[in-house]
Amino acid sequence: MKKTVLVSGGAGFIGSHVTVELIQAGYDVVVADNFSNCDRTCFEGVKRITGKEDIPLEVMDFCDMEAVKALFQKYPIDAVIHFAAYKAVGESVAQPLKYYKNNLTSFLNVLEAAQEKGSFVLFSSSATVYGEPDSVPVTEATPRKPATSPYGNTKTICEDILRDTVKASEGKLKGILLRYFNPIGAHPSALIGELPRGVPNNLVPFITQTAIGKRECLSIFGNDYPTPDGTCLRDYIDIVDLAKAHVFAVSRMVEGKMKQDCEVFNVGTGRPVSVLELVNAFEKVNGVKLNYKFAPRRAGDVTAIWADPTLANTEMGWKATRTVEETLKAAWAWEKHLAGK
Ligand code: WQD
């Protein structure tokens, strides 16, 4: 009997890549999105990649409890992966109430409906909960630190909400927290990828938009950090590797392989890469010259963080396999696809 997975925010960057991998792994997927932060490009791309024209799409807002309840009544949801949230760090600092209201309300509604239905819950968390770690690499036991933005704080709060609700449910509700490091790249088909609205906050879309000529110049925020080349270190994980981690996590839940009712896994490569290394790799692998300059540090940036992914590797059997070069090639192919090149 095929299992059904609801992907909230499933038309977005991570959601669309996860939908592809779930379908290709044999799951039925329901995509639900309010399209507040993306258009139909990626959803249409998912249909082309999978060859499945009849993927159920529910256009709805997860802050609307009635709509969420109706969704869980309409489909036999075995597991829900919750992506639907606002995610711009800078915007969350300027508009905290918008972020707390949307990101917490939507998750509370999903959790309540999942608990009623007995669906497993997978929450899209972030390495941002570690703040500036005292030591690297970080494991799942590394203490979380106060978030440096309301966006990051909504991740921390949602982790606690899931943990407490699972504990009180005495085995009726189970869930997994996946802490992503820095998701980058695009599907090798170049039919889905990152589609930031306006000026990209994140590094790789800014790089590709600069290379294609949409942006004048990339600013590298700070080259005076205590790192080998002075620029920040991150754990950049290929979006397809990240998407596959969700398939491993869903099967762990629905096939009864969980060892605790609420589990947390770091989803990273375990390999630190600096901003400058990423820029140089992008230029080399794509044969393009990037216009960049060094600029002052960006407030709130962490000097260095990367994952110890051992737990996900051993417990879930998942491991990142794509190289940074492959990922940057796919990112560039996606940008060229968007430009019709
Ligand atoms: C990476 C590095 C920047 C842009 C954020 C969120 C995290 C997750 C991933 C959502 C930093 C540098 C960037 C630029 C630059 N988001 N940079 N010039 O800040 O590590 O993580 O995105 O889930 O929660 O916190 O990612 O890509 O913004 O920055 O030099 O134009 O690139 O200073 O060192 P970050 P990022």
Side-chain angles (χ1 to χ4, degrees):
M1 178 74 171
K2 280 181 113 174
K3 298 286 187 184
T4 300
V5 182
L6 165 65
V7 182
S8 81
F13 173 41
I14 303 177
S16 55
H17 286 81
V18 168
T19 299
V20 165
E21 298 305 323
L22 285 168
I23 289 170
Q24 292 181 338
Y27 290 94
D28 281 334
V29 177
V30 176
V31 171
D33 207 306
N34 66 359
F35 290 97
S36 66
N37 197 23
C38 64
D39 62 24
R40 301 257 175 156
T41 306
C42 286
F43 183 68
E44 293 308 316
V46 169
K47 291 196 283 188
R48 284 183 59 192
I49 294 167
T50 59
K52 226 173 135 42
E53 284 300 321
D54 61 348
I55 303 170
L57 170 66
E58 297 287 341
V59 184
M60 56 169 291
D61 187 336
F62 279 84
C63 290
D64 175 354
M65 188 61 197
E66 289 317 304
V68 173
K69 277 188 176 163
L71 188 63
F72 275 77
Q73 273 143 23
K74 184 174 179 182
Y75 299 96
I77 295 165
D78 296 293
V80 52
I81 305 180
H82 186 62
F83 292 112
Y86 297 144
K87 62 161 193 167
V89 175
E91 186 189 49
S92 78
V93 175
Q95 302 182 58
L97 209 48
K98 172 182 174 181
Y99 273 68
Y100 285 118
K101 192 168 181 191
N102 180 68
N103 292 9
L104 300 184
T105 307
S106 56
F107 184 55
L108 287 166
N109 289 346
V110 164
L111 208 46
E112 192 176 320
Q115 178 157 277
E116 245 170 69
K117 185 94 183 200
S119 312
F120 291 98
V121 175
L122 195 166
F123 177 67
S124 151
S125 191
S126 166
T128 201
V129 302
Y130 295 115
E132 177 88 64
D134 296 333
S135 66
V136 279
V138 295
T139 70
E140 290 79 2
T142 298
R144 295 181 308 177
K145 285 198 173 173
T148 52
S149 71
Y151 157 76
N153 204 24
T154 64
K155 292 298 184 186
T156 303
I157 296 169
C158 286
E159 286 198 354
D160 292 345
I161 291 171
L162 181 63
R163 198 170 275 124
D164 291 346
T165 311
V166 162
K167 198 171 170 190
S169 80
E170 292 170 342
K172 278 206 298 296
L173 177 74
K174 296 185 179 181
I176 288 182
L177 300 166
L178 292 185
R179 289 175 179 163
Y180 313 148
F181 283 71
N182 286 61
I184 62 170
H187 192 268
S189 65
L191 291 172
I192 56 176
E194 201 163 0
L195 258 178
R197 290 204 157 161
V199 179
N201 297 301
N202 294 134
L203 177 62
V204 171
F206 207 108
I207 288 176
T208 57
Q209 288 190 12
T210 304
I212 203 97
K214 272 180 81 171
R215 305 287 159 206
E216 184 54 40
C217 174
L218 167 74
S219 295
I220 294 183
F221 299 135
N223 66 331
D224 60 348
Y225 282 96
T227 61
D229 65 16
T231 64
C232 294
L233 292 166
R234 293 289 184 277
D235 185 327
Y236 294 99
I237 175 161
D238 183 280
I239 185 65
V240 175
D241 278 335
L242 177 72
K244 288 179 184 298
H246 292 73
V247 180
F248 280 90
V250 166
S251 69
R252 183 179 176 83
M253 297 192 293
V254 301
E255 291 164 20
K257 298 176 192 161
M258 294 175 77
K259 292 180 177 169
Q260 292 161 1
D261 289 350
C262 185
E263 296 181 324
V264 55
F265 295 103
N266 283 340
V267 184
T269 65
R271 274 192 324 269
V273 173
S274 77
V275 178
L276 200 51
E277 284 170 332
L278 203 90
V279 167
N280 293 337
F282 180 84
E283 289 183 315
K284 188 159 175 261
V285 78
N286 293 310
V288 296
K289 189 80 193 81
L290 203 62
N291 183 23
Y292 68 86
K293 66 181 181 196
F294 291 111
R297 295 182 176 190
R298 179 174 69 174
D301 270 340
V302 159
T303 303
I305 184 165
W306 66 91
D308 174 341
T310 307
L311 198 63
N313 301 158
T314 54
E315 278 301 318
M316 287 205 294
W318 167 86
K319 193 169 172 55
T321 59
R322 286 164 170 75
T323 63
V324 165
E325 290 72 22
E326 284 172 280
T327 305
L328 294 172
K329 245 186 161 147
W332 183 226
W334 165 246
E335 190 67 57
K336 286 190 287 186
H337 168 77
L338 289 175
K341 290 185 177 169

